[in-house]
mmCIF file of all heavy atoms in Angstrom:
data_model
loop_
_atom_site.group_PDB
_atom_site.id
_atom_site.type_symbol
_atom_site.label_atom_id
_atom_site.label_comp_id
_atom_site.label_asym_id
_atom_site.label_seq_id
_atom_site.Cartn_x
_atom_site.Cartn_y
_atom_site.Cartn_z
ATOM 1 N N GLU T 296 -14.457 -6.127 5.384
ATOM 2 C CA GLU T 296 -15.657 -6.170 4.539
ATOM 3 C C GLU T 296 -16.932 -6.325 5.308
ATOM 4 O O GLU T 296 -18.002 -5.989 4.839
ATOM 5 C CB GLU T 296 -15.516 -7.293 3.468
ATOM 6 C CG GLU T 296 -14.382 -6.968 2.526
ATOM 7 C CD GLU T 296 -14.163 -8.019 1.439
ATOM 8 O OE1 GLU T 296 -15.072 -8.807 1.145
ATOM 9 O OE2 GLU T 296 -13.039 -8.032 0.876
ATOM 10 N N GLU T 297 -16.816 -6.879 6.529
ATOM 11 C CA GLU T 297 -18.069 -7.175 7.210
ATOM 12 C C GLU T 297 -18.295 -6.488 8.542
ATOM 13 O O GLU T 297 -19.418 -6.429 9.028
ATOM 14 C CB GLU T 297 -18.193 -8.710 7.412
ATOM 15 C CG GLU T 297 -18.309 -9.410 6.067
ATOM 16 C CD GLU T 297 -18.472 -10.924 6.201
ATOM 17 O OE1 GLU T 297 -18.635 -11.422 7.326
ATOM 18 O OE2 GLU T 297 -18.418 -11.593 5.164
ATOM 19 N N SER T 298 -17.215 -5.949 9.134
ATOM 20 C CA SER T 298 -17.446 -5.373 10.464
ATOM 21 C C SER T 298 -18.004 -3.960 10.318
ATOM 22 O O SER T 298 -17.840 -3.292 9.310
ATOM 23 C CB SER T 298 -16.167 -5.333 11.279
ATOM 24 O OG SER T 298 -15.567 -4.052 11.276
ATOM 25 N N ASP T 299 -18.636 -3.476 11.379
ATOM 26 C CA ASP T 299 -19.209 -2.147 11.378
ATOM 27 C C ASP T 299 -18.156 -1.060 11.261
ATOM 28 O O ASP T 299 -18.429 0.044 10.807
ATOM 29 C CB ASP T 299 -20.003 -1.898 12.688
ATOM 30 C CG ASP T 299 -21.247 -2.763 12.738
ATOM 31 O OD1 ASP T 299 -21.683 -3.208 11.669
ATOM 32 O OD2 ASP T 299 -21.765 -2.964 13.833
ATOM 33 N N VAL T 300 -16.945 -1.328 11.734
ATOM 34 C CA VAL T 300 -15.902 -0.317 11.669
ATOM 35 C C VAL T 300 -15.005 -0.462 10.418
ATOM 36 O O VAL T 300 -14.062 0.295 10.268
ATOM 37 C CB VAL T 300 -15.021 -0.285 12.938
ATOM 38 C CG1 VAL T 300 -15.799 0.214 14.124
ATOM 39 C CG2 VAL T 300 -14.433 -1.642 13.213
ATOM 40 N N GLY T 301 -15.327 -1.440 9.578
ATOM 41 C CA GLY T 301 -14.567 -1.590 8.338
ATOM 42 C C GLY T 301 -14.429 -0.276 7.576
ATOM 43 O O GLY T 301 -13.326 0.130 7.190
ATOM 44 N N PRO T 302 -15.550 0.441 7.347
ATOM 45 C CA PRO T 302 -15.472 1.710 6.629
ATOM 46 C C PRO T 302 -14.561 2.726 7.305
ATOM 47 O O PRO T 302 -13.833 3.474 6.620
ATOM 48 C CB PRO T 302 -16.930 2.217 6.581
ATOM 49 C CG PRO T 302 -17.739 0.949 6.671
ATOM 50 C CD PRO T 302 -16.953 0.044 7.577
ATOM 51 N N ALA T 303 -14.595 2.785 8.629
ATOM 52 C CA ALA T 303 -13.708 3.735 9.338
ATOM 53 C C ALA T 303 -12.231 3.324 9.160
ATOM 54 O O ALA T 303 -11.366 4.211 8.985
ATOM 55 C CB ALA T 303 -14.064 3.778 10.836
ATOM 56 N N PHE T 304 -11.978 2.027 9.139
ATOM 57 C CA PHE T 304 -10.612 1.571 8.936
ATOM 58 C C PHE T 304 -10.149 1.915 7.526
ATOM 59 O O PHE T 304 -9.022 2.377 7.321
ATOM 60 C CB PHE T 304 -10.549 0.060 9.176
ATOM 61 C CG PHE T 304 -9.139 -0.484 9.192
ATOM 62 C CD1 PHE T 304 -8.269 -0.193 10.234
ATOM 63 C CD2 PHE T 304 -8.694 -1.281 8.158
ATOM 64 C CE1 PHE T 304 -6.974 -0.699 10.249
ATOM 65 C CE2 PHE T 304 -7.391 -1.794 8.165
ATOM 66 C CZ PHE T 304 -6.528 -1.497 9.221
ATOM 67 N N LEU T 305 -11.027 1.752 6.563
ATOM 68 C CA LEU T 305 -10.670 2.093 5.166
ATOM 69 C C LEU T 305 -10.476 3.597 5.015
ATOM 70 O O LEU T 305 -9.602 4.046 4.260
ATOM 71 C CB LEU T 305 -11.731 1.582 4.202
ATOM 72 C CG LEU T 305 -11.733 0.086 3.962
ATOM 73 C CD1 LEU T 305 -12.821 -0.279 2.948
ATOM 74 C CD2 LEU T 305 -10.366 -0.387 3.440
ATOM 75 N N ALA T 306 -11.284 4.382 5.733
ATOM 76 C CA ALA T 306 -11.120 5.823 5.666
ATOM 77 C C ALA T 306 -9.741 6.225 6.175
ATOM 78 O O ALA T 306 -9.093 7.134 5.639
ATOM 79 C CB ALA T 306 -12.211 6.526 6.458
ATOM 80 N N LEU T 307 -9.305 5.532 7.207
ATOM 81 C CA LEU T 307 -7.959 5.768 7.732
ATOM 82 C C LEU T 307 -6.917 5.469 6.684
ATOM 83 O O LEU T 307 -6.002 6.258 6.422
ATOM 84 C CB LEU T 307 -7.739 4.895 8.978
ATOM 85 C CG LEU T 307 -6.308 4.815 9.490
ATOM 86 C CD1 LEU T 307 -5.911 6.093 10.180
ATOM 87 C CD2 LEU T 307 -6.123 3.641 10.437
ATOM 88 N N ILE T 308 -7.026 4.310 6.065
ATOM 89 C CA ILE T 308 -6.053 3.897 5.057
ATOM 90 C C ILE T 308 -6.055 4.873 3.898
ATOM 91 O O ILE T 308 -4.995 5.285 3.387
ATOM 92 C CB ILE T 308 -6.383 2.483 4.568
ATOM 93 C CG1 ILE T 308 -6.089 1.471 5.677
ATOM 94 C CG2 ILE T 308 -5.619 2.124 3.293
ATOM 95 C CD1 ILE T 308 -6.449 0.067 5.317
ATOM 96 N N ARG T 309 -7.229 5.283 3.512
ATOM 97 C CA ARG T 309 -7.374 6.204 2.368
ATOM 98 C C ARG T 309 -6.584 7.501 2.593
ATOM 99 O O ARG T 309 -5.999 8.055 1.672
ATOM 100 C CB ARG T 309 -8.856 6.507 2.174
ATOM 101 C CG ARG T 309 -9.214 7.343 0.979
ATOM 102 C CD ARG T 309 -10.722 7.625 0.991
ATOM 103 N NE ARG T 309 -11.529 6.427 0.859
ATOM 104 C CZ ARG T 309 -11.768 5.832 -0.300
ATOM 105 N NH1 ARG T 309 -11.266 6.333 -1.431
ATOM 106 N NH2 ARG T 309 -12.502 4.743 -0.356
ATOM 107 N N SER T 310 -6.614 7.973 3.830
ATOM 108 C CA SER T 310 -6.033 9.289 4.067
ATOM 109 C C SER T 310 -4.620 9.227 4.629
ATOM 110 O O SER T 310 -4.048 10.247 5.021
ATOM 111 C CB SER T 310 -6.945 10.110 4.997
ATOM 112 O OG SER T 310 -7.154 9.402 6.189
#
Side-chain angles (χ1 to χ4, degrees):
Chain T
E296 295 180 21
E297 295 182 8
S298 101
D299 291 340
V300 290
F304 189 70
L305 286 181
L307 168 74
I308 289 177
R309 185 184 295 280
S310 57

